[in-house]
Amino acid sequence: MDKHILDVKNLKTYFLINKSRDKANYVRAVDGVSFSVKEGEIMGLVGESGSGKSTIAYTIMGMYKPVEGEIIFNGENIINKNNRRSMSFKKNVQIVFQDPGSSLNPYQDVRQILSLPLKVHKIVPRGKIEEKIAEILEMVELPADFMYKSPTSIGGGEKQLVSIARALCSNPKFIILDEPTSSLDVSIQAKIINMLLKLHREQKLTYLFITHDLSLMRNISTKVAIMYLGKMCEVAPTEDFYKTPMHPYTQMLLSSIPVISEEEEALKPKKVVSTGEIPSPVNVPKGCSFHTRCMLSTDICRSEEPIMHQVSEDHFVRCHLYKK
Amino acid sequence: MERLLDIRNLKVWYSTYRGFAKVVDGINMHVGKGEKVGLVGESGCGKTTTMKSILRVLDSRKVHIPEGEIIFKGSDILRMNYNEIQQVRRRSISMISQEPSAALNPVFTVGDQIMEVIRHSGQFDKNFSKKDMKSLAIKAIRDVLISDPERIFDSYPHQLSGGMKQRICIVMALVTPRELLIADEPGTALDVTIQDQIHRLLRSLVEEKHMSLIMITHSLGVARELVDRIYVMYAGNIVEAAKTKDLFKNPLHPYTRGLMDCVPRLSGGGVSEGIYGYIPDYINPTPGCRFYPRCPDAKEVCSRQKPPATVATENHLVACFKYN
């Protein structure tokens, strides 16, 4: 259980936006992020739009080339010169995207979509592909005759199930879920989440779950990390995280969540009121990037960048308030 | 409380190549003066269609309204001629849409668009100069907590962030005195911290101006924090209507209960199973209760007959045979 399956160390991914003779401007989408995921964990990566959470996922998958840093999967550094991933990495790590409508090819039917990973990774001999597809569809509780349907003729929740089925085709160990339920209704979301939890148990998977929904993370994750402007603010095991949220940004996020019971209301930090907006990642504020919205900011926050402080065994906060 | 808006047995059908889709199926709702009312339901349940029929902005070539009345201040909106409905749109009812970037015209500055609303409101006489209009607009922009209104006045929508654009939409809806504001998921496209700011702002402005509010949302949490009374809508029917407090303390309809179970709680407790099945076909709906195929408490009578709205307790209406 304690074996690290994924280690990300000081990862930086920048995007060039314009280049003039004297200076180049970059969007620092991911700016020095380190974290690790243990085998069997469900790690929640939470942040507002533009905080760089999807960029981390895409960088791990090899869709973007990092500027700096290491990504270690199963003891191997997977970043190489041409940013290609090995076949075994591609087999072991899969991703499910946010919008199932645009991540499934509308000109192919479900059978064609699911047979590609089976062929590429040679999971089963060619003659047995349809059998295997029926088996995988059964895993996500879709009927076998679903394979003759086109993605355009099925509903949003079912499309997402097909995306999950596609990710399962290569028998992966690690799945990155990039906001898999954010475009769905709550009743459908509950079904998909239950399915994912069942697969997590049965297939012994590890998840990196990217989302902006902190109440969902409370219920499914084992560890939560908060991102803000390309940097990680706080990482903690779920219980600890919701009992004692420490970073002012985490407190602001928690206090902004609309809840439906008194019991939950009591858990929200009271004194924090949401103000301001996330600044542009091109001009990240000096010092602590959150100081423009923070109610507790002092002089040091405007000038000096905070470092990660360890407050308890697994609880890390990047804030000057917790400096020893 | 005096009723400002009274919708009686409204039916809205869309014509499709397969026949009429009966999207809104005989709903009754009313809004009192100064009251804040929420309309909660999942996507595709007809909430937006209902609200658009109030302002009569649905495409009249595709939409057929076979029955119903929308009484606004004593006259039926559905039977008004063009000039009359135009007066209602100019002076009495305004609407905020879900997607602020689609609601603003990209080729005019924000200021121009706000001034247009003032000019067409017909609430100012000829002595009201352009300068006065501008100062009114600037004041209104300042009211939505934008710190430098002059700069915003001269910017184009694409220069603003999503939260700012939504604030501008609020300005346009509230710059001239109105009696009713229809807000169609104003926070859905925004991050939680920004959503929280927009909701607090809307509530304070509506209360300050003694307006009525209809808040359309898919989130029970948002409705709980903003409104006095909630209508729960499922597949074109109002299934439950109650004061916010009563609804959350004692939800009656099986759909409302299912929906509440699906919401992940900040206090933990795992994820529920979700509601069995999917929303029904609107073209050939069941003759009975539209929730019947998904209902855990379904009885034989539910498949044959439509459940009438029954009074469960004072001010608590529920459309279910269980309580008949």
Side-chain angles (χ1 to χ4, degrees):
Chain A
M1 185 74 189
D2 273 357
K3 198 180 142 216
H4 286 196
I5 188 163
L6 180 81
D7 268 302
V8 173
K9 287 180 188 161
N10 195 28
L11 186 73
K12 291 183 181 173
T13 307
Y14 295 172
F15 298 107
L16 185 66
I17 44 169
N18 57 42
K19 202 172 171 182
S20 59
R21 209 168 299 155
D22 41 332
K23 121 178 197 244
N25 277 327
Y26 291 98
V27 173
R28 293 165 204 274
V30 179
D31 201 9
V33 166
S34 307
F35 63 93
S36 60
V37 186
K38 288 176 195 156
E39 215 163 274
E41 256 187 334
I42 299 179
M43 171 155 174
L45 196 56
V46 184
E48 290 181 277
S49 44
S51 61
K53 47 194 197 310
S54 291
T55 310
I56 291 185
Y58 296 167
T59 311
I60 294 172
M61 294 308 289
M63 290 152 79
Y64 299 139
K65 196 172 175 188
V67 178
E68 214 185 298
E70 282 176 29
I71 301 172
I72 295 161
F73 181 75
N74 261 347
E76 252 176 273
N77 190 358
I78 54 167
I79 294 180
N80 47 24
K81 221 173 184 182
N82 53 14
N83 205 35
R84 289 274 179 88
R85 299 286 183 264
S86 70
M87 212 53 186
S88 76
F89 177 85
K90 285 181 191 167
K91 183 176 170 299
N92 283 327
V93 182
Q94 288 287 327
I95 185 165
V96 175
F97 294 99
Q98 175 176 9
D99 181 9
S102 57
S103 61
L104 298 172
N105 186 344
Y107 296 106
Q108 292 189 331
D109 62 13
V110 172
R111 184 181 54 87
Q112 284 170 305
I113 290 170
L114 297 185
S115 58
L116 184 69
L118 295 175
K119 284 178 194 159
V120 169
H121 296 292
K122 302 190 181 67
I123 305 291
V124 286
R126 292 220 160 206
K128 288 195 173 161
I129 281 182
E130 293 219 350
E131 228 172 273
K132 181 74 185 170
I133 290 177
E135 191 188 307
I136 288 167
L137 284 175
E138 200 189 318
M139 261 160 50
V140 294
E141 289 171 18
L142 288 173
D145 60 0
F146 223 80
M147 68 173 95
Y148 304 110
K149 290 199 176 182
S150 146
T152 49
S153 69
I154 59 182
E158 287 157 334
K159 272 188 220 167
Q160 199 56 282
L161 287 175
V162 172
S163 301
I164 294 168
R166 176 174 60 186
L168 291 171
C169 280
S170 63
N171 298 324
K173 291 199 182 87
F174 185 80
I175 299 184
I176 297 176
L177 301 156
D178 185 5
E179 310 213 24
T181 57
S182 62
S183 60
L184 306 171
D185 277 318
V186 277
S187 67
I188 312 287
Q189 164 175 293
K191 276 183 222 171
I192 304 265
I193 294 295
N194 275 308
M195 174 71 55
L196 286 169
L197 291 179
K198 191 192 85 179
L199 292 167
H200 177 257
R201 274 195 311 274
E202 287 174 1
Q203 312 285 321
K204 302 206 165 37
L205 296 166
T206 308
Y207 288 154
L208 176 63
F209 201 119
I210 295 172
T211 181
H212 57 257
D213 189 344
L214 272 171
S215 7
L216 179 62
M217 277 305 107
R218 171 70 185 91
N219 292 291
I220 64 170
S221 66
T222 53
K223 188 159 97 179
V224 183
I226 298 283
M227 298 270 306
Y228 187 75
L229 277 178
K231 292 190 176 114
M232 218 158 248
C233 300
E234 184 164 3
V235 191
T238 307
E239 283 284 306
D240 210 14
F241 180 90
Y242 288 90
K243 210 189 282 165
T244 49
M246 289 187 159
H247 198 283
Y249 178 58
T250 313
Q251 294 177 357
M252 185 192 277
L253 272 179
L254 284 170
S255 74
S256 305
I257 300 174
V259 295
I260 64 167
S261 65
E262 295 292 330
E263 197 188 351
E264 295 170 86
E265 203 79 63
L267 288 170
K268 299 205 307 193
K270 292 283 154 347
K271 286 173 206 144
V272 190
V273 179
S274 153
T275 49
E277 294 191 13
I278 188 164
S280 148
V282 186
N283 295 313
V284 177
K286 238 181 140 184
C288 172
S289 52
F290 186 61
H291 83 250
T292 50
R293 300 172 71 183
C294 185
M295 303 212 306
L296 303 166
S297 71
T298 52
D299 281 341
I300 188 169
C301 305
R302 284 180 268 279
S303 56
E304 200 179 307
E305 207 181 308
I307 52 162
M308 270 288 185
H309 299 290
Q310 186 169 20
V311 282
S312 63
E313 198 193 340
D314 286 322
H315 199 149
F316 296 88
V317 185
R318 211 169 57 82
C319 179
H320 286 303
L321 285 175
Y322 299 96
K323 197 151 73 177
K324 276 165 209 147
Chain B
M1 200 185 302
E2 197 185 335
R3 285 185 185 184
L4 181 69
L5 181 81
D6 198 350
I7 301 179
R8 292 181 197 154
N9 194 28
L10 178 72
K11 293 187 178 175
V12 184
W13 296 359
Y14 283 99
S15 91
T16 69
Y17 67 96
R18 281 168 58 207
F20 281 116
K22 299 160 186 87
V23 173
V24 176
D25 188 36
I27 69 162
N28 292 293
M29 66 183 283
H30 60 88
V31 183
K33 262 195 183 140
E35 194 181 25
K36 298 190 288 291
V37 167
L39 186 60
V40 181
E42 292 182 284
S43 46
C45 75
K47 356 181 245 305
T48 304
T49 300
T50 311
M51 289 307 115
K52 285 192 171 166
S53 57
I54 295 175
L55 276 175
R56 284 209 351 222
V57 286
L58 293 164
D59 186 346
S60 58
R61 288 165 301 180
K62 288 185 193 148
V63 169
H64 176 57
I65 301 182
E67 251 181 88
E69 286 172 327
I70 300 175
I71 313 286
F72 179 71
K73 292 206 292 182
S75 46
D76 187 354
I77 286 183
L78 296 176
R79 276 162 196 77
M80 283 181 183
N81 64 27
Y82 180 77
N83 282 335
E84 287 165 338
I85 183 70
Q86 210 57 353
Q87 284 305 319
V88 172
R89 291 174 187 152
R90 280 176 183 162
R91 291 166 182 249
S92 308
I93 307 180
S94 54
M95 187 160 177
I96 300 170
S97 77
Q98 184 175 148
E99 194 53 69
S101 42
L104 295 170
N105 191 335
V107 299
F108 292 103
T109 62
V110 161
D112 280 342
Q113 297 184 52
I114 297 171
M115 301 259 283
E116 195 181 354
V117 176
I118 302 173
R119 199 157 50 237
H120 287 288
S121 71
Q123 288 170 349
F124 305 99
D125 58 14
K126 278 179 196 138
N127 299 328
F128 200 75
S129 67
K130 211 167 174 185
K131 218 171 160 189
D132 297 332
M133 279 189 204
K134 183 169 173 176
S135 60
L136 181 66
I138 299 247
K139 188 189 156 288
I141 299 176
R142 194 172 283 124
D143 282 349
V144 296
L145 312 176
I146 294 176
S147 50
D148 46 351
E150 275 87 5
R151 182 179 66 86
I152 300 295
F153 187 87
D154 288 323
S155 23
Y156 287 89
H158 73 268
Q159 296 169 312
L160 307 174
S161 65
M164 278 298 185
K165 274 187 257 188
Q166 197 57 284
R167 281 167 205 259
I168 295 300
C169 290
I170 294 177
V171 170
M172 286 168 67
L174 301 180
V175 62
T176 57
R178 304 273 180 159
E179 283 147 292
L180 175 65
L181 173 67
I182 300 171
D184 186 1
E185 311 217 19
T188 310
L190 310 169
D191 283 315
V192 273
T193 53
I194 310 296
Q195 174 181 311
D196 185 42
Q197 294 171 24
I198 294 286
H199 287 161
R200 270 187 284 128
L201 176 70
L202 254 183
R203 185 160 80 180
S204 70
L205 286 174
V206 164
E207 278 172 5
E208 186 185 304
K209 293 176 195 268
H210 307 290
M211 296 169 68
S212 304
L213 171 74
I214 302 179
M215 179 83 187
I216 307 177
T217 176
H218 65 263
S219 156
L220 283 163
V222 169
R224 180 174 172 273
E225 292 188 352
L226 267 173
V227 301
D228 310 325
R229 207 152 54 80
I230 296 180
Y231 289 94
V232 181
M233 196 163 179
Y234 176 76
N237 294 112
I238 301 278
V239 294
E240 190 163 357
K243 290 238 164 72
T244 306
K245 230 192 217 157
D246 298 340
L247 186 78
F248 283 95
K249 211 197 286 165
N250 187 20
L252 293 176
H253 197 279
Y255 175 67
T256 317
R257 292 180 174 196
L259 198 61
M260 280 193 193
D261 275 347
C262 288
V263 180
R265 307 293 173 103
L266 200 56
S267 47
V271 185
S272 82
E273 288 287 303
I275 304 173
Y276 165 81
Y278 295 96
I279 51 169
D281 182 23
Y282 287 122
I283 293 167
N284 291 308
T286 56
C289 174
R290 285 192 176 181
F291 189 58
Y292 156 73
R294 303 175 74 181
C295 184
D297 306 328
K299 285 184 278 188
E300 193 267 330
V301 62
C302 307
S303 67
R304 284 184 285 112
Q305 236 180 315
K306 231 177 203 351
T310 34
V311 182
T313 55
E314 205 202 342
N315 290 325
H316 197 145
L317 287 171
V318 58
C320 182
F321 282 116
K322 222 170 127 185
Y323 304 97
N324 205 336

